[in-house]
Amino acid sequence: MRAHQIRRLFGRIGFALSVFALVSPALLVFLWMLSLSLKNELDNTAYPPVFWPSKLSLQNFVDVFEKNDFVTLDWTDFDLFGRTWFAYPALGGYLYNSVVVSFGATGLALLFGVPAGFGIAKSKAHNMAALIMIARVTPGLSYLVPLFLMFQWLGMVGSLTPLLITHLVITVPIVVWVMIGFFEGLPNELEEAALVDGATIWQAFRHIALPLARPGIVVATILAFIFSWNNFIFGVVLAGRETRTLPVAVYNVLTFEEVSWGPLAAAALLVTLPVLLLTLLMQKEIVAGLTAGGVKGG
Amino acid sequence: MTVASSATGLRGRNYARQYWPFLVPAGVVVFAVIVFPWIFTLYMSTMEWHVGGNITFNGLANYKRLVSDERFLWSVVRTLYFTAMAVFFPVILGIAAAVCFHKEFPLRGLARTIFIMPMMATPVAIALVWTMMFHPQLGVLNYLLTSVGLPASQWQYAPGTVIPTLVMVETWQWTPLVMLIVLGGLASLPIDPYEAARIDGASPWDSFRHITLPLVWPHIMVALVIRTIDALKSLDIIFVISNGGPGTASETMNYLLYLEAFSFYDIGYASAIVVVFFVIILLISMLLFTSRRQAY
């Protein structure tokens, strides 16, 4: 009896330790990011590293928002498209770019993708589904070469429009893929009853299927937004100086030689903060979408 | 899925056709930003095409160049080396994590949220933090290594350690996705076989090996294929942390593709790389499609 209890105790301790081992790498990196962003430059470049700083301050965050030269100092990066250069108030302008691109690409994807998901689920258009699947797994970079040339010919490079259009490569397949799964899971009876009563297919979609699919739309919206927000390589290639999205803007700080860690960590934290908050608040929806959708975009 | 299939069967083609208008808007977008680029890439890959230079047809010359281009062939080898490790570790750790998270324990929700954070966080942001942690002189990782008596590493700054370093970050980032997929499989398992095994005196390892593993195998396959595709096209982490270097030590296919297209502006050659890349990914996705069918 005693031996049995001891073994169970050891089993529990072992389990607790393995959970801790699983979670700690994630914890370590995010806590270190937070720590770097709250310490001053002296503490950040000290060796051995400072784990318990004597003083914490929000100065790095203030710098990110206030110092005009923080993100726009990289003047050696010449302007490829010959447009007039103008300085944004630090990260604020890039925040605007990211918001326009991610919200725009997500909104358009919902507009096009939700009806498409419905249509594919109902008409069992497997070829279309397979096409969307392939689009989701192809490297994002492969779309950039032709799209980049196309935007150049159309004279659109240098504005936010080409970036927004390119982000549709990420968001449309996510929305369609998630919505196919949701519409397939919905019961058909209500719709069929409406159709028998003389409703058009559009009315059945608008008033019956769409309200029922609201949870699916939430999942699709969150995932499309996050993967668009996180996207980096489209911005690297397509964005001019003033059309960079946040990830590109923060990356450009790193390529700059004398970089200070505190403000960089603060900027990195701010860029990923919306996504982390969404993950915290909408964990259930995100998990449902990822296990159904399976593949990340881009 | 089953309901819709019976409907199609009963009412035939006209039933399906009614829903086609719903596909038109998305179809136009998908054609413009996805299908058209594919076709155009195929066309460009048969051209001698430099940005700002003449465009001339050169048939399969770009593909012939690929076969004899040592830089490209090495990038393929590196991609395979990277992919093998960046699939193996996340899949093994992901299965272990899924088994852990399948059990009830206090604060499980919070632990799971923290665990999936690396996958959701902006890749550039976390790559920047890792870069600071990898700093050979001032980085926290070398401090931790030396304080437990291990030798300090050069991380992404030495040709021998750069790919394992990138694999480490990739594993950190994508183990959660494997965990989620396998966890989904575990959640759908029946209880009866476990009861029977327990009565027969099987150890936890026995029931994992002989009941759990075979039953969640389809899910593991899905995770394996998804991980392979994602690892093959991994770019952000490499771009930020090592920039393909030192030298060309971490130049994978995807990174070389970026260089050819947007640093060397060799559009024709880059397009040929895209086509080869596309074929590889396509073959693997077909595997994914069939393994999905088996899983659900």
Side-chain angles (χ1 to χ4, degrees), chain A residues 65-104:
Chain A
F65 278 106
E66 282 192 348
K67 272 200 187 159
N68 242 18
D69 59 352
F70 179 65
V71 183
T72 48
L73 203 74
D74 46 339
W75 50 271
T76 45
D77 190 5
F78 70 101
D79 200 333
L80 196 61
F81 311 109
R83 285 177 62 105
T84 36
W85 176 89
F86 63 97
Y88 272 116
L91 225 50
Y94 300 114
L95 176 67
Y96 169 81
N97 294 341
S98 263
V99 166
V100 168
V101 169
S102 294
F103 276 82

Side-chain angles (χ1 to χ4, degrees), chain A residues 37 42 50 87 98 105 107 249 269:
Chain A
S37 70
L42 217 62
V50 176
S98 263
L269 188 63

Side-chain angles (χ1 to χ4, degrees), chain B residues 14 17 30 37 46 76-77 85 140 144 162 204 234-235 256 258 271 275 278 293:
Chain B
N14 285 331
R17 220 168 262 173
V30 166
T46 63
V76 175
V77 173
M85 290 199 292
V140 65
L144 292 176
V162 60
S234 176
L235 186 66
L256 183 65
Y258 172 82
S271 300
V275 173
F278 186 85
R293 287 256 169 82

Side-chain angles (χ1 to χ4, degrees), chain A residues 25 33 47-48 120 133 136 138 141-142 150 201 230 232 237 250-251 272 275-276 283 290-292 296, chain B residues 18 22-23 36 112-113 117 119-120 122 124 128-129 137 143 172 174 180 243 254 274 278 288 292:
Chain A
M33 170 151 70
Y47 195 86
I120 292 173
M133 185 73 198
R136 288 206 61 183
T138 341
L141 201 52
S142 59
M150 224 165 64
I201 287 192
N230 282 351
F232 170 61
V237 174
V250 173
Y251 170 73
T272 194
V275 172
L276 295 185
Q283 200 223 133
L290 284 174
T291 39
K296 68 169 170 155
Chain B
Q18 288 177 295
F22 287 91
L23 302 182
F36 167 74
R112 195 176 67 171
T113 307
M117 285 268 178
M119 163 176 86
M120 306 313 297
T122 310
V124 173
L128 286 174
V129 177
Q137 283 86 44
Y143 171 77
W172 177 85
W174 290 111
L180 286 180
N243 235 304
N254 214 5
V274 171
F278 186 85
L288 173 66
R292 268 192 96 85

Side-chain angles (χ1 to χ4, degrees), chain B residues 210-231:
Chain B
H210 295 290
I211 306 171
T212 310
L213 216 50
L215 284 175
V216 293
W217 191 248
H219 292 264
I220 295 176
M221 278 304 293
V222 170
L224 199 78
V225 176
I226 288 174
R227 194 75 276 287
T228 308
I229 293 168
D230 284 352

Side-chain angles (χ1 to χ4, degrees), chain B residues 101-173:
Chain B
F101 281 108
H102 187 53
K103 287 189 180 156
E104 291 278 352
F105 58 88
L107 297 178
R108 183 173 68 163
L110 180 69
R112 195 176 67 171
T113 307
I114 295 172
F115 190 72
I116 66 170
M117 285 268 178
M119 163 176 86
M120 306 313 297
T122 310
V124 173
I126 55 166
L128 286 174
V129 177
W130 278 103
T131 306
M132 292 186 260
M133 290 169 63
F134 285 138
H135 195 287
Q137 283 86 44
L138 305 173
V140 65
L141 286 180
N142 270 353
Y143 171 77
L144 292 176
L145 280 183
T146 48
S147 64
V148 294
L150 291 168
S153 172
Q154 285 295 306
W155 303 110
Q156 75 268 39
Y157 300 101
T161 51
V162 60
I163 289 185
T165 299
L166 294 168
V167 167
M168 192 174 101
V169 179
E170 179 98 357
T171 303
W172 177 85
Q173 201 187 357

Side-chain angles (χ1 to χ4, degrees), chain A residues 15 18-19 22-23 25-30 32-33 36 44-49 51 80 112-113 115-126 128-150 152-153 165 168-169 172-173 176-177 184-185 188 191-192 195 201-202 205 223 226-227 229-233 236-237 247 250-251 254 261 264-265 268-269 271-272 275-276 279-280 283-284 286-287 290-298, chain B residues 1 3-5 7-8 11 15-20 22-23 25-27 29-30 32-38 40-41 44 49 51 55 93 96-97 99-101 103-105 109-126 128-133 135 137-144 146 172 174 177 180-181 184 226-227 229-230 233-236 239-240 243 254-255 257-258 261-262 265 267 270-271 274 277-278 281-282 285 288-289 292-293 296:
Chain A
F15 183 73
S18 49
V19 169
L22 284 173
V23 176
L27 218 51
L28 177 81
V29 174
F30 287 110
W32 195 245
M33 170 151 70
L36 286 170
N44 273 339
T45 52
Y47 195 86
F51 287 96
L80 196 61
F112 301 134
F118 177 76
I120 292 173
K122 293 296 162 190
S123 64
K124 295 204 50 132
H126 282 311
M128 190 81 171
L131 186 75
I132 296 287
M133 185 73 198
I134 296 168
R136 288 206 61 183
V137 297
T138 341
L141 201 52
S142 59
Y143 301 100
L144 267 179
V145 185
L147 289 176
F148 176 75
L149 290 174
M150 224 165 64
Q152 256 188 343
W153 287 330
I165 293 173
L168 293 176
V169 172
V172 170
V176 175
W177 194 252
E184 276 177 349
N188 254 2
E191 257 174 81
E192 298 203 335
L195 291 177
I201 287 192
W202 170 255
F205 167 70
L223 285 184
I226 288 180
F227 284 116
W229 182 271
N230 282 351
N231 180 275
F232 170 61
I233 200 67
V236 166
V237 174
V250 173
Y251 170 73
L254 178 82
W261 286 10
L264 183 55
L269 188 63
V271 168
T272 194
V275 172
L276 295 185
T279 311
L280 270 176
Q283 200 223 133
K284 226 168 142 190
I286 290 173
V287 169
L290 284 174
T291 39
V295 198
K296 68 169 170 155
Chain B
M1 202 167 210
V3 182
S5 70
T8 318
R11 292 175 214 165
Y15 174 81
R17 220 168 262 173
Q18 288 177 295
Y19 288 96
W20 285 2
F22 287 91
L23 302 182
V29 173
V30 166
V33 298
I34 292 172
V35 178
F36 167 74
W38 287 343
F40 196 59
T41 300
M44 287 187 296
W49 188 327
V51 168
I55 301 164
L93 291 171
V99 171
C100 275
F101 281 108
K103 287 189 180 156
E104 291 278 352
F105 58 88
L110 180 69
R112 195 176 67 171
T113 307
I114 295 172
F115 190 72
I116 66 170
M117 285 268 178
M119 163 176 86
M120 306 313 297
T122 310
V124 173
I126 55 166
L128 286 174
V129 177
W130 278 103
T131 306
M132 292 186 260
M133 290 169 63
H135 195 287
Q137 283 86 44
L138 305 173
V140 65
L141 286 180
N142 270 353
Y143 171 77
L144 292 176
T146 48
W172 177 85
W174 290 111
L177 184 62
L180 286 180
I181 295 169
I226 288 174
R227 194 75 276 287
I229 293 168
D230 284 352
K233 60 181 192 176
S234 176
L235 186 66
D236 292 4
F239 203 102
V240 176
N243 235 304
N254 214 5
Y255 192 81
L257 166 58
Y258 172 82
F262 301 108
Y265 291 114
I267 299 295
S271 300
V274 171
F277 209 166
F278 186 85
I281 301 250
L282 201 65
S285 347
L288 173 66
F289 226 64
R292 268 192 96 85
R293 287 256 169 82
Y296 300 107

